[in-house]
Amino acid sequence: MAGLVNNLLILFLVLRNSCLGFRSPLSAFKRYKDNARFFSNECLGNNRPVISLGPSDFALDIRMPGVTPKQSDTYLCMSLRLPVDEEAYVVDFKPHASMETVHHMLLFGCNMPSSNEDYWDCDEGTCTDKSNILYAWARNAPPTRLPKGVGFKVGGETGSKFFVLQVHYGDVSAFRDKHTDCSGVTLHLTHQKQPLIAGMYLMMSVNTIIPPGPKVVNADIACHYKRYPMHLFAYRVHTHRLGKVVSGYRVRGNEWTLIGRQSPQLPQAFYPVEHPVDVNYGDILAARCVFSGEGRTTDTHIGGTASDEMCNFYIMYYMEAKHASSYMTCTQNIKPDMFGSIPEEANIPIPVKSDMSMMTHGHHEEAKNTDETSLMKQPKREEEEVLDQDFHLEETVDWPGVNLKLGQVSGLALDPNNNLVIFHRGDRVWDGNSFDSRFVYQQRGLGPIELNTILTVDPSNAAVLHSTGKNLFYLPHGLSIDKDGNYWVTDVALHQVFKLDPHGQGSTLMTLGRAMQPGSDQNHFCQPTDVAVDPVTGNIYVSDGYCNSRIVQFSTNGMFIMQWGEESSLDKPKPGQFSIPHSLTLVPEFGQLCVADRENGRIQCFRPDTGEFVREIKHKLFGKEVFAVSYVPGGVLYAVNGMPYPGDTELVQGFVMNFFSGEIIDTFIPVRKSFEMPHDIVASEDRTVYVGDAHARTVWKFASTEKMEHRSVKKAGIEVQEIKDDADNKLETSSGRIFGRLKGKGSGGLNLGNFFASRKGYSRKGFDRLSTEGSDQEKDEEDATDSEEEYTPPPPAPVSSAS
């Protein structure tokens, strides 16, 4: 019986999230063209399930092809061939679904789907051979990235050749209007070999009985660990309605070390292990679920229907690739007596608001009728307003602006209509021959750039709406737009600042500085970098620049008012000292002007009316350079850094910061192409962010995943989810990875529903389908924890993720 339990539970785990990057994207597309099925253009808008992300990476969009389930608890499947044969790794999963229409999704990997139709009823099975569950999604789990250097391996000689998406439509009342659904998941895959392989360890009680009434019942699980060292980085808890708290521990000797503790009535995300825990040969892994049968009139057993219960504690870990095991299970309690010394916290329920509990379990109508929490009703203090910033930026991979034909992109801004304005250098390049030692431009004989250097672009489709700037500039640099829509630009070759009429063909409204004359007095600049215009006073602020180290303030009509700043000292730079003040952003809410102090790798903020230093924002992750900053109302500050110096390890990336505290909320990088020299950044109030790169000669668009509504997009047929991607749930999309390998119904594999149905007092109704949400990969007769192997010292911890 124990062997049967193990097989069943093994069906519960496999976190083989792998990143497939292919060596030849073009050959992959060519082969895929013959195999790709037609996707309803209501769903995807085009037939592009494979998106190139560079020479080694690509995204694979796996979606239901516009389906309309006709009855509740319908399970539909579709398949997509892996477009490469080589070994690859999944490093990122981005779901596209809403719990209002989708109960859960599972993504299988196998070599032969059960059908070659566009989609089919999953009762026919998922695969005809052994299938691995690579990913699962439920309850609005957000996107996630694994830690750097960690991936789930797929493909190659032994990996899966097909993906099979299974979608469980629980309540189909949302489809009364007969719209189509295109729920699914986008995978980010890479061919870059990952040194650390991720896996899932599932602890599950299989025989707990909860009597009716308020009496507390504990479900305890414990197993010896007898494998190579593993390093735990995330956990997830799962029960149904009667669960109060679930806790997991590593027990070494008599010492209990907390892995994680959470209420299962909160969104069942993967939460980061607060203090990473290593598990070595001989340790014990232990978990406890606390239940109460209050409100029930009969015994409640372990099972998969809504009226049953489950006690699961999932652990995400990584191991050295050469010793990796992608899944392990524990379904026993080898030392019941030791739970007498479990920390008291494991027995204390975590309070949960009733409306949150209802949303967790899918009671949307009830939740809609409840009042918002008192916190939401109360006016927020200034500090609270800027702290309410839980979101994550992802590149908008279908935005065509990345393919615009541009020169070196030096400046970005948004006009009053929220259109993107791009300042670029056309065919001109700033290199070592551009200036002499006195900063005098040496290529004047080339004349001004003959192309339009300022493009106004539609933010949705990147269509060029307007262009100007032909025959005006030699080396464009900074760009900003005032509240009236006027363009303010700098030219480092001309050493000048210009105010331009956005409606005229290069009509100049104001000029500051003397053409081709570098200087440091009130009438000259030396390679000025950026401009900011106060929306209230109209005062003009110029960062000057590459060969001066100052901020210069002018009146609204261009009269010099004051300046501040000096060159940095050789030792630690002091407040008000600059080494290339490169970018400016005004923060009207706090009365500050912030400067990207480029070569000092920091952001300095000042009182714009006096030049008084207010604060410095500096992080190790910035590295040695900060190129640009952008502020949006609500207390959010964005920045981009520069490429690391030789020997440095900091990534070139974008940053989202809480302006009040200065802490980094999020980091982001593109998936198409790579940052080479991100030169400017601009953000809108809806948290859409654009980054322009001088070396890559492109512009990327990033969007926040924070506020996607809980509703069907009827026209597009795509269920979008509300995603709250904060520090406590960034890993939730890996809820899919908790599930292991499961044979499809058509393959004669074990089914947990059948197993639990055989248990005394268990109601089978509805479990066969629901059982897939708690299934794991088929494996040996014994629990994975019982395998005897020598252990080696743990591998070094990976560099933290950029997400």
Side-chain angles (χ1 to χ4, degrees), residues 110 112-116 120 124-129 164 744-747:
C110 65
M112 185 59 64
S114 293
S115 173
N116 59 6
W120 66 92
E124 301 173 21
T126 54
C127 301
T128 58
D129 61 331
V164 176
K745 293 183 182 179
S747 64

Side-chain angles (χ1 to χ4, degrees), residues 388-402:
D388 185 16
Q389 301 165 342
D390 296 323
F391 63 95
H392 175 61
L393 289 178
E394 298 268 348
E395 184 192 348
T396 305
V397 295
D398 58 352
W399 189 64
V402 75

Side-chain angles (χ1 to χ4, degrees), residues 435 439 491-496 513-514 516-518 525-528:
F435 294 90
F439 309 107
D491 187 311
V492 292
L494 288 168
H495 304 287
Q496 287 181 300
R514 303 290 172 82
M516 299 290 180
Q517 296 181 20
F525 300 111
C526 192
Q527 298 178 342

Side-chain angles (χ1 to χ4, degrees), residues 22 190 356 432 626 647 675 702:
F22 46 86
T190 182
M356 177 64 76
V626 176
F675 283 154
F702 298 86

